[in-house]
Amino acid sequence: MSALTKEVRSFVVIAHEKSVRKAAEKLHIAASALSRQMNILEEDFGTQLLVRLPKGIELTEQGQALYKQAQQWIAEENRFRRSLKEEAQQNLIQLRIGAVDCLSHSVLPKLYNLLSSQFDNLRVHFTTGDTQTLTNLLLDNQLDFIIAFNVARHEKIQFSARHRTKIGLVHLPKLFDEKTKSIELHECLKWPLCFPDRNLSVHTRLYSEILRQNSSFDISATSNSFNLLASLVREGAGVSFMTWYDIEKQVMNGELAFTPLKDKRLEEELCVCLPSTVKMNEQTQSIINSILKVIQ
């Protein structure tokens, strides 16, 4: 949208093209409609601005004056727009936040809403992926914050928070008594297991604990996708093991149920990290507090 009238803007195009027909083609309107605009403009200024000739148009002396003035108006408007844009860019808060995929369903939308309520001029770019990918992006200065499970210690990474979250049994609703608030790992082994493979962070600790039970178990399927594992459970292929974040959406929709495991060793650590070079200030702390609020 321009502060200049459409008639003035159209007049500039006609003057430049020296033809109503060519100007109409460029403006994607009918030549008759463009001619009516010029009639309105001439009536408004009270003088003839252009002369129609067989091969085009010719500006009158008054038309030449308006053309020169209109070009100045356009240049001034463009300068004004640039100054406003530059001022807005200077005040713009741009955040690059990386998070593990399971947080994309509810945590990240909640985080955006919370941040946008605190900062007037905000733009957030979210990147999702596994912990190693996000860690590499943080080290490569392509992300400002990451929220990921079990981030390895590194001299170039500072941990602003570590949130412990239980691994739980994922199963069909009403598989057992709803009053059950937690379950022992060995009790889960009587059902076929849709098991997270070694590419998922829960695999190693969980598999080691299963072997410690000295009980027989049956793995019916494995996958590196929690979404696929959840679908298999929903289809009756067995039970699985995930954190609450991995399965929150399906549980809230009533499709599946989540029962935490009792063993304290069966927990994941959800870490909030940023580069070690970042100095803590009020804005950074506010962002971290917002992240903690939505993950706890």
Side-chain angles (χ1 to χ4, degrees):
M1 183 175 179
S2 173
L4 300 175
T5 66
K6 66 179 180 180
E7 288 82 10
V8 170
R9 287 183 281 114
S10 296
F11 172 76
V12 171
V13 178
I14 291 175
H16 179 73
E17 296 294 331
K18 297 181 180 179
S19 166
V20 172
R21 181 183 58 79
K22 290 181 179 179
E25 291 175 355
K26 192 168 185 178
L27 293 170
H28 304 290
I29 62 174
S32 58
L34 193 54
S35 293
R36 284 195 296 272
Q37 287 186 23
M38 293 305 98
N39 291 335
I40 292 172
L41 191 64
E42 289 179 328
E43 288 179 8
D44 189 37
F45 279 98
T47 186
Q48 186 176 6
L49 300 172
L50 49 86
V51 178
R52 282 96 173 152
L53 302 173
K55 294 184 179 180
I57 63 97
E58 183 177 294
L59 297 180
T60 64
E61 183 178 347
Q62 292 80 7
Q64 290 282 1
L66 177 59
Y67 182 43
K68 182 178 180 181
Q69 182 63 60
Q71 288 178 309
Q72 292 178 9
W73 287 337
I74 291 171
E76 289 172 3
E77 182 179 37
N78 289 337
R79 282 195 295 270
F80 181 64
R81 286 178 179 275
R82 284 196 298 270
S83 67
L84 291 180
K85 187 174 182 180
E86 289 170 1
E87 183 179 352
Q89 289 292 336
Q90 289 174 358
N91 297 326
L92 179 66
I93 298 173
Q94 299 191 68
L95 293 178
R96 302 169 300 171
I97 299 176
V100 284
D101 291 323
C102 62
L103 302 182
S104 62
H105 299 299
S106 61
V107 171
L108 296 186
K110 290 176 184 176
L111 177 59
Y112 174 78
N113 288 335
L114 187 56
L115 290 172
S116 60
S117 69
Q118 296 174 358
F119 302 104
D120 294 330
N121 199 2
L122 175 72
R123 180 184 299 162
V124 185
H125 177 75
F126 289 111
T127 298
T128 60
D130 57 49
T131 294
Q132 190 57 57
T133 298
L134 296 174
T135 300
N136 291 340
L137 290 173
L138 186 71
L139 291 171
D140 198 32
N141 198 35
Q142 295 185 49
L143 292 173
D144 303 310
F145 298 86
I146 64 170
I147 314 168
F149 288 113
N150 309 318
V151 178
R153 293 183 178 275
H154 194 285
E155 60 181 6
K156 294 184 178 180
I157 296 176
Q158 58 175 310
F159 290 75
S160 60
R162 292 183 174 90
H163 177 65
R164 306 294 298 184
T165 181
K166 279 282 188 181
I167 297 172
L169 179 71
V170 176
H171 54 90
L172 290 171
K174 300 181 180 180
L175 181 64
F176 46 81
D177 192 343
E178 292 182 358
K179 295 181 180 179
T180 303
K181 300 301 180 183
S182 61
I183 189 171
E184 297 283 356
L185 180 59
H186 69 84
E187 297 178 59
C188 306
L189 303 184
K190 59 185 176 184
W191 295 293
L193 306 180
C194 301
F195 208 74
D197 74 12
R198 64 181 65 254
N199 292 301
L200 297 173
S201 59
V202 301
H203 170 86
T204 302
R205 186 184 304 107
L206 183 60
Y207 193 68
S208 297
E209 288 301 317
I210 287 177
L211 294 178
R212 285 163 55 93
Q213 304 303 310
N214 292 319
S215 301
S216 60
F217 59 93
D218 172 35
I219 295 180
S220 59
T222 62
S223 177
N224 67 340
S225 166
F226 282 126
N227 285 334
L228 176 55
L229 292 173
S231 296
L232 291 170
V233 173
R234 200 164 52 243
E235 293 298 320
V239 298
S240 190
F241 301 97
M242 306 179 195
T243 70
W244 171 253
Y245 298 110
D246 298 310
I247 202 67
E248 177 183 3
K249 183 178 180 181
Q250 292 93 325
V251 174
M252 298 304 292
N253 289 340
E255 301 170 5
L256 294 170
F258 175 87
T259 303
L261 296 173
K262 289 183 178 179
D263 195 323
K264 291 184 178 180
R265 289 173 295 196
L266 292 175
E267 295 180 334
E268 292 279 81
E269 188 176 65
L270 188 59
C271 305
V272 180
C273 305
L274 59 159
S276 58
T277 54
V278 175
K279 294 182 179 180
M280 200 62 62
N281 56 32
E282 184 177 347
Q283 177 178 297
T284 302
Q285 188 61 59
S286 178
I287 295 167
I288 292 172
N289 291 342
S290 296
I291 293 173
L292 294 178
K293 186 172 182 178
V294 296
I295 67 175
Q296 290 177 344

